[in-house]
Amino acid sequence: MVQAVLYQDGIRVSSPATLAETYRELREKPGMAWIGLARPTESELLSLAAEFDLHPLSVEDALEAHQRPKLERYGETLFVVLRAARYLDAPEEVDFGELHVFVGPDFVITVRHGAAPDLSAVRRRMEETPELLKLGPEAVLYAILDAVVDGYLPVVAGVQNDIDEIETEVFRGEPAVSRRIYELSREVVEFQRATRPLVGMLHSLMAGFAKYGTDDELQRYLRDVADHVTHTSERVDGFRQALTDILAVNATLVNQQQNAEMRALAEAGFEQNEEIKRISSWAAILFAPTLVGTIYGMNFEHMPELGWSFGYPFAIGLMGVVCASLYVIFKGRDWL
């Protein structure tokens, strides 16, 4: 147990140390008990269930955690599941927590799984405004809803900043930007799962104002929270669409870059082939006189043209004709 406090007419009258003391004092001094637990044991929840007649299904949900946001009514007890969020600056990521709230005629039980929200701040705020706290358990539920929704604002700002940074990285061609887009998309999807159901939950609460006789002032507060939730949900939906667009743009830029690299490789291969053609052409031209000179340079006694007076000019002319012919052929094929 984190803390248990008893209130009468919005004023703190007692802070029992154990659940047993809380039960006893609540029976002796009728008022409202606000019991806060963090990752409670099964025995603690079963004790609360027996004392306040909590439905077994809601107790099971509170034990297992990992529930979607929802609002369910079991007789006179309201069971609310909320997903709180906070933005962590150092790793630039969103941390999600889970909060279960049991609201009865004379009690509020909060079961927290995670660091957010800071319910001690909610308790201080309510104790500083006893006129609101004396409205009963529904006022505490409003304060918790308001704290969860207000906690979304820094997350919205942090995600918006991340999206702006990703847009810059995409157009700079950062190699790791695709992974960051994927990770942020997962966080935004999780954020949607936390905010979207809240809109319907708050409308359900507002629909029951007349039936359950909700105080007029409290109705105004809850409507204000509903407006904030709707605005936040719309922003988160916009984030998801923006990330989808950014991912498409990034894929297009990556494809363009890959095409440019392939084109550059093809052009380099073409240039290399042209160089090989030139080298091969000149090698063939230079090989022709070498071949003629090699034949006539062999030291054999009986060879045609050895005693011929025009032998040397003939050999030189043959070399020139072969070289010129090869040059004309290669030039005609654009190898030179």
Side-chain angles (χ1 to χ4, degrees), residues 285-304:
I285 292 171
L286 295 175
F287 177 72
T290 302
L291 177 63
V292 175
T294 301
I295 292 173
Y296 282 97
M298 292 188 293
N299 297 321
F300 292 106
E301 183 177 351
H302 301 288
M303 285 185 66

Side-chain angles (χ1 to χ4, degrees), residues 156-173:
V156 168
V159 172
Q160 180 65 66
N161 184 64
D162 288 344
I163 291 175
D164 293 340
E165 291 178 357
I166 284 174
E167 287 179 338
T168 303
E169 291 175 3
V170 164
F171 289 102
R172 277 205 309 240

Side-chain angles (χ1 to χ4, degrees), residues 16-234:
T18 65
L19 289 176
E21 289 180 16
T22 304
Y23 305 154
R24 178 178 54 79
E25 292 189 21
L26 185 61
R27 295 189 197 103
E28 294 173 355
K29 304 174 184 178
M32 181 187 72
W34 183 351
I35 302 170
L37 302 99
R39 297 184 179 88
T41 63
E42 183 176 0
S43 61
E44 288 176 325
L45 277 179
L46 291 177
S47 172
L48 289 165
E51 178 67 23
F52 297 109
D53 194 25
L54 305 180
H55 196 279
L57 290 178
S58 62
V59 174
E60 182 181 345
D61 287 344
L63 274 173
E64 294 180 357
H66 304 293
Q67 304 293 318
R68 62 176 180 82
K70 60 182 178 179
L71 182 149
E72 295 176 343
R73 187 175 290 276
Y74 298 97
E76 294 185 335
T77 301
L78 200 63
F79 177 60
V80 181
V81 178
L82 303 172
R83 295 295 306 280
R86 58 175 182 161
Y87 187 79
L88 305 179
D89 292 318
E92 293 186 335
E93 62 184 29
V94 182
D95 177 50
F96 293 94
E98 190 169 330
L99 180 65
H100 299 216
V101 186
F102 297 88
V103 181
D106 60 351
F107 66 88
V108 176
I109 301 169
T110 58
V111 180
R112 187 159 49 89
H113 298 272
D118 182 6
L119 294 182
S120 61
V122 176
R123 191 187 294 274
R124 285 195 300 271
R125 173 196 169 192
M126 293 298 289
E127 290 179 352
E128 289 170 359
T129 53
E131 66 278 4
L132 180 60
L133 186 56
K134 72 180 180 179
L135 295 178
E138 281 192 345
V140 176
L141 177 60
Y142 148 72
I144 293 172
L145 287 168
D146 189 49
V148 170
V149 174
D150 285 348
Y152 292 153
L153 298 180
V155 179
V156 168
V159 172
Q160 180 65 66
N161 184 64
D162 288 344
I163 291 175
D164 293 340
E165 291 178 357
I166 284 174
E167 287 179 338
T168 303
E169 291 175 3
V170 164
F171 289 102
R172 277 205 309 240
E174 296 286 344
V177 70
S178 296
R179 181 182 180 87
R180 190 175 181 193
I181 293 172
Y182 172 72
E183 291 174 346
L184 187 57
S185 296
R186 290 183 60 187
E187 291 180 354
V188 168
V189 169
E190 193 70 19
F191 202 8
Q192 275 186 316
R193 291 172 181 167
T195 57
R196 270 188 179 179
L198 268 179
V199 178
M201 289 165 57
L202 283 163
H203 280 101
S204 296
L205 282 175
M206 290 188 291
F209 282 165
K211 180 178 180 180
Y212 296 102
T214 305
D215 183 83
D216 291 341
E217 185 69 13
L218 195 54
Q219 290 183 29
R220 284 189 283 270
Y221 283 129
L222 286 170
R223 288 194 187 97
D224 182 63
V225 175
D227 290 340
H228 291 168
V229 168
T230 301
H231 177 70
T232 301
S233 182
E234 290 172 351

Side-chain angles (χ1 to χ4, degrees), residues 243-312:
L243 285 169
T244 301
D245 295 340
I246 291 172
L247 191 60
V249 170
N250 184 59
T252 301
L253 293 176
V254 169
N255 288 334
Q256 290 177 349
Q257 183 180 2
Q258 290 176 344
N259 291 337
E261 290 174 355
M262 294 295 294
R263 187 165 53 250
L265 287 173
E267 291 174 356
F270 178 77
E271 290 294 330
Q272 189 176 25
N273 289 337
E274 292 300 311
E275 290 296 327
I276 291 173
K277 288 178 182 179
R278 293 188 187 95
I279 294 171
S280 299
S281 299
W282 284 113
I285 292 171
L286 295 175
F287 177 72
T290 302
L291 177 63
V292 175
T294 301
I295 292 173
Y296 282 97
M298 292 188 293
N299 297 321
F300 292 106
E301 183 177 351
H302 301 288
M303 285 185 66
E305 297 95 18
L306 285 180
W308 186 31
S309 59
F310 293 103
Y312 178 72

